[in-house]
PDB file of all heavy atoms in Angstrom:
ATOM      1  N   TYR A1417      14.113  16.128   4.685  1.00  0.00           N
ATOM      2  CA  TYR A1417      14.627  16.141   6.054  1.00  0.00           C
ATOM      3  C   TYR A1417      16.021  16.822   6.219  1.00  0.00           C
ATOM      4  O   TYR A1417      16.685  16.553   7.259  1.00  0.00           O
ATOM      5  CB  TYR A1417      14.548  14.802   6.698  1.00  0.00           C
ATOM      6  CG  TYR A1417      13.084  14.308   6.766  1.00  0.00           C
ATOM      7  CD1 TYR A1417      12.641  13.406   5.831  1.00  0.00           C
ATOM      8  CD2 TYR A1417      12.171  14.756   7.795  1.00  0.00           C
ATOM      9  CE1 TYR A1417      11.349  12.983   5.856  1.00  0.00           C
ATOM     10  CE2 TYR A1417      10.848  14.338   7.833  1.00  0.00           C
ATOM     11  CZ  TYR A1417      10.467  13.360   6.875  1.00  0.00           C
ATOM     12  OH  TYR A1417       9.122  12.950   6.897  1.00  0.00           O
ATOM     13  N   GLY A1418      16.316  17.617   5.204  1.00  0.00           N
ATOM     14  CA  GLY A1418      17.595  18.398   5.340  1.00  0.00           C
ATOM     15  C   GLY A1418      18.792  17.717   4.707  1.00  0.00           C
ATOM     16  O   GLY A1418      19.944  18.235   4.892  1.00  0.00           O
ATOM     17  N   GLY A1419      18.601  16.571   4.073  1.00  0.00           N
ATOM     18  CA  GLY A1419      19.689  15.848   3.484  1.00  0.00           C
ATOM     19  C   GLY A1419      19.860  16.139   1.953  1.00  0.00           C
ATOM     20  O   GLY A1419      19.227  17.019   1.432  1.00  0.00           O
ATOM     21  N   SER A1420      20.690  15.245   1.373  1.00  0.00           N
ATOM     22  CA  SER A1420      20.904  15.416  -0.085  1.00  0.00           C
ATOM     23  C   SER A1420      20.876  14.040  -0.733  1.00  0.00           C
ATOM     24  O   SER A1420      21.636  13.830  -1.720  1.00  0.00           O
ATOM     25  CB  SER A1420      22.328  16.081  -0.322  1.00  0.00           C
ATOM     26  OG  SER A1420      23.390  15.357   0.323  1.00  0.00           O
ATOM     27  N   SER A1421      20.145  13.113  -0.284  1.00  0.00           N
ATOM     28  CA  SER A1421      20.139  11.817  -0.796  1.00  0.00           C
ATOM     29  C   SER A1421      19.645  11.933  -2.296  1.00  0.00           C
ATOM     30  O   SER A1421      18.837  12.733  -2.640  1.00  0.00           O
ATOM     31  CB  SER A1421      19.070  10.926  -0.076  1.00  0.00           C
ATOM     32  OG  SER A1421      18.822   9.699  -0.716  1.00  0.00           O
ATOM     33  N   ILE A1422      20.315  11.079  -3.141  1.00  0.00           N
ATOM     34  CA  ILE A1422      19.915  11.089  -4.508  1.00  0.00           C
ATOM     35  C   ILE A1422      18.610  10.319  -4.810  1.00  0.00           C
ATOM     36  O   ILE A1422      18.036  10.457  -5.935  1.00  0.00           O
ATOM     37  CB  ILE A1422      21.062  10.373  -5.399  1.00  0.00           C
ATOM     38  CG1 ILE A1422      21.188   8.865  -4.949  1.00  0.00           C
ATOM     39  CG2 ILE A1422      22.288  11.156  -5.277  1.00  0.00           C
ATOM     40  CD1 ILE A1422      22.142   8.172  -5.867  1.00  0.00           C
ATOM     41  N   TYR A1423      18.127   9.649  -3.777  1.00  0.00           N
ATOM     42  CA  TYR A1423      16.904   8.951  -3.910  1.00  0.00           C
ATOM     43  C   TYR A1423      15.735   9.740  -3.373  1.00  0.00           C
ATOM     44  O   TYR A1423      15.750  10.232  -2.239  1.00  0.00           O
ATOM     45  CB  TYR A1423      16.954   7.594  -3.167  1.00  0.00           C
ATOM     46  CG  TYR A1423      18.062   6.629  -3.665  1.00  0.00           C
ATOM     47  CD1 TYR A1423      19.239   6.498  -2.941  1.00  0.00           C
ATOM     48  CD2 TYR A1423      17.864   6.034  -4.963  1.00  0.00           C
ATOM     49  CE1 TYR A1423      20.194   5.679  -3.391  1.00  0.00           C
ATOM     50  CE2 TYR A1423      18.942   5.264  -5.351  1.00  0.00           C
ATOM     51  CZ  TYR A1423      20.130   5.011  -4.647  1.00  0.00           C
ATOM     52  OH  TYR A1423      21.148   4.257  -5.076  1.00  0.00           O
ATOM     53  N   LYS A1424      14.641   9.732  -4.108  1.00  0.00           N
ATOM     54  CA  LYS A1424      13.453  10.354  -3.547  1.00  0.00           C
ATOM     55  C   LYS A1424      12.815   9.459  -2.481  1.00  0.00           C
ATOM     56  O   LYS A1424      13.059   8.215  -2.525  1.00  0.00           O
ATOM     57  CB  LYS A1424      12.313  10.521  -4.691  1.00  0.00           C
ATOM     58  CG  LYS A1424      12.764  11.510  -5.760  1.00  0.00           C
ATOM     59  CD  LYS A1424      11.644  11.585  -6.842  1.00  0.00           C
ATOM     60  CE  LYS A1424      12.083  12.513  -7.986  1.00  0.00           C
ATOM     61  NZ  LYS A1424      10.992  12.641  -9.024  1.00  0.00           N
ATOM     62  N   LEU A1425      12.089  10.041  -1.601  1.00  0.00           N
ATOM     63  CA  LEU A1425      11.561   9.277  -0.511  1.00  0.00           C
ATOM     64  C   LEU A1425      10.508   8.304  -1.128  1.00  0.00           C
ATOM     65  O   LEU A1425       9.671   8.673  -1.980  1.00  0.00           O
ATOM     66  CB  LEU A1425      10.726  10.225   0.436  1.00  0.00           C
ATOM     67  CG  LEU A1425      10.374   9.605   1.793  1.00  0.00           C
ATOM     68  CD1 LEU A1425      11.612   9.167   2.534  1.00  0.00           C
ATOM     69  CD2 LEU A1425       9.658  10.688   2.660  1.00  0.00           C
ATOM     70  N   GLY A1426      10.760   7.065  -0.863  1.00  0.00           N
ATOM     71  CA  GLY A1426       9.998   5.970  -1.419  1.00  0.00           C
ATOM     72  C   GLY A1426      10.555   5.226  -2.646  1.00  0.00           C
ATOM     73  O   GLY A1426      10.046   4.280  -3.108  1.00  0.00           O
ATOM     74  N   GLU A1427      11.798   5.738  -3.009  1.00  0.00           N
ATOM     75  CA  GLU A1427      12.432   5.130  -4.127  1.00  0.00           C
ATOM     76  C   GLU A1427      13.887   4.714  -3.748  1.00  0.00           C
ATOM     77  O   GLU A1427      14.700   4.324  -4.660  1.00  0.00           O
ATOM     78  CB  GLU A1427      12.533   6.115  -5.326  1.00  0.00           C
ATOM     79  CG  GLU A1427      11.175   6.480  -5.960  1.00  0.00           C
ATOM     80  CD  GLU A1427      11.282   7.245  -7.176  1.00  0.00           C
ATOM     81  OE1 GLU A1427      12.423   7.604  -7.589  1.00  0.00           O
ATOM     82  OE2 GLU A1427      10.248   7.720  -7.759  1.00  0.00           O
ATOM     83  N   HIS A1428      14.238   4.677  -2.546  1.00  0.00           N
ATOM     84  CA  HIS A1428      15.508   4.105  -2.072  1.00  0.00           C
ATOM     85  C   HIS A1428      15.582   2.612  -2.376  1.00  0.00           C
ATOM     86  O   HIS A1428      14.577   1.926  -2.291  1.00  0.00           O
ATOM     87  CB  HIS A1428      15.694   4.337  -0.549  1.00  0.00           C
ATOM     88  CG  HIS A1428      17.131   4.161  -0.218  1.00  0.00           C
ATOM     89  ND1 HIS A1428      17.631   2.849   0.037  1.00  0.00           N
ATOM     90  CD2 HIS A1428      18.133   4.975   0.076  1.00  0.00           C
ATOM     91  CE1 HIS A1428      18.916   2.926   0.430  1.00  0.00           C
ATOM     92  NE2 HIS A1428      19.239   4.253   0.457  1.00  0.00           N
ATOM     93  N   PRO A1429      16.743   2.044  -2.829  1.00  0.00           N
ATOM     94  CA  PRO A1429      16.891   0.642  -3.099  1.00  0.00           C
ATOM     95  C   PRO A1429      16.326  -0.303  -1.951  1.00  0.00           C
ATOM     96  O   PRO A1429      15.646  -1.312  -2.291  1.00  0.00           O
ATOM     97  CB  PRO A1429      18.336   0.431  -3.263  1.00  0.00           C
ATOM     98  CG  PRO A1429      18.789   1.734  -3.764  1.00  0.00           C
ATOM     99  CD  PRO A1429      17.967   2.776  -3.063  1.00  0.00           C
TER     100      PRO A1429
END
Side-chain angles (χ1 to χ4, degrees):
Y1417 297 97
S1420 58
S1421 173
I1422 62 173
Y1423 300 105
K1424 294 180 180 179
L1425 198 56
E1427 294 186 3
H1428 192 281

